[in-house]
Amino acid sequence: MGLLRSLFGPSREEIWRQLCHETGGEFVEGGFFKGSKVLLDHGEWTVTLDTYTVRSDKSSTTFTRMRAPYVNADGFRFQIYREGLFSGLGRAFGMQDVNVGYPQFDDKFVIKGDNESKLRDLFANRRVRELIHRQPRIDLQVRDDEGWFGAQFPGGVDELRFSCVGVIKDVDQLRDLYDLFAETLDHLCRIGSAYEDDPQVQL
């Protein structure tokens, strides 16, 4: 165990338990069919951190994700990711590329949404921009439920969702990510795009 730790550093479980200790979260042990996860509360919302794996015939890729269902008051949707990460994603959902008026931010990220005014309002929040900058890999978006193989959400409930390739084992990065979710959800409430109610969804 000591040799493995010296070669690969702390395990995911160690880092995620440390995150729970620092934030008051709950570490939930995985089972045969489900992996471990972390539950973090912010107000009435529950933020879930876990991993999932996409398999193909010859390979598999593991992703880290963070999710928070919330009551979407006005149907506002957006997506932000680093320039060059995707190509053309989002156009099928009627979302347009938007510059939000901060050149150093606009140059590094692709920002899409269905309401330009609300996008500009959201990303006028300096704290949101700073926390996004701190994530070396980021795809942050509002999306509907995950269909047949994921959570089924009640009407009016959407999900704030982050994902990136790989397993994040940096407690500072994970704490920043949780702070980003908290700040984003709070700001969505302030601009009338989220309610603070518990959405009653179990992930």
Side-chain angles (χ1 to χ4, degrees):
M1 184 68 177
L3 177 61
L4 289 176
R5 198 178 195 283
S6 65
L7 289 173
F8 300 107
S11 68
R12 178 186 69 174
E13 180 173 337
E14 287 179 90
I15 296 299
W16 288 20
R17 285 187 181 277
Q18 182 182 344
L19 176 69
C20 290
H21 177 73
E22 294 181 5
T23 61
E26 177 187 0
F27 185 88
V28 180
E29 294 277 3
F32 186 74
F33 294 105
K34 289 187 175 182
S36 301
K37 62 184 178 181
V38 169
L39 302 179
L40 304 159
D41 289 332
H42 178 68
E44 293 297 316
W45 301 297
T46 298
V47 180
T48 301
L49 168 69
D50 64 3
T51 61
Y52 68 99
T53 301
V54 176
R55 294 179 173 82
S56 63
D57 292 340
K58 297 182 179 179
S59 65
S60 63
T61 304
T62 298
F63 295 79
T64 298
R65 69 182 169 186
M66 187 173 278
R67 299 172 289 164
Y70 69 97
V71 180
N72 192 332
D74 60 2
F76 174 47
R77 301 280 181 88
F78 70 88
Q79 180 178 22
I80 179 169
Y81 51 87
R82 285 195 176 272
E83 182 72 45
L85 183 60
F86 299 115
S87 176
L89 194 61
R91 288 184 173 81
F93 301 100
M95 296 196 293
Q96 303 297 318
D97 293 351
V98 176
N99 287 333
V100 294
Y102 300 89
Q104 290 185 333
F105 193 74
D106 288 321
D107 289 346
K108 292 180 179 178
F109 298 95
V110 176
I111 304 164
K112 297 176 179 290
D114 58 7
N115 185 316
E116 183 172 341
S117 175
K118 294 231 168 186
L119 272 179
R120 289 179 177 275
D121 195 331
L122 174 61
F123 293 111
N125 185 319
R126 177 184 291 181
R127 179 69 172 157
V128 168
R129 298 198 311 274
E130 288 175 347
L131 290 167
I132 287 173
H133 267 296
R134 292 181 191 177
Q135 295 297 323
R137 296 159 293 166
I138 187 167
D139 174 17
L140 180 69
Q141 60 181 294
V142 174
R143 59 185 288 175
D144 202 349
D145 66 60
E146 300 175 15
W148 292 105
F149 301 103
Q152 297 281 329
F153 296 166
V157 174
D158 282 338
E159 175 182 83
L160 182 64
R161 185 181 190 271
F162 161 92
S163 65
C164 76
V165 174
V167 179
I168 299 178
K169 296 194 296 180
D170 182 317
V171 72
D172 292 330
Q173 184 181 349
L174 291 169
R175 193 188 310 109
D176 283 344
L177 188 58
Y178 167 66
D179 288 345
L180 172 60
F181 266 61
E183 187 67 32
T184 300
L185 288 166
D186 285 344
H187 197 97
L188 288 173
C189 280
R190 289 195 291 272
I191 64 175
S193 292
Y195 293 130
E196 297 183 48
D197 305 332
D198 182 352
Q200 304 289 319
V201 173
Q202 298 292 323
L203 295 178

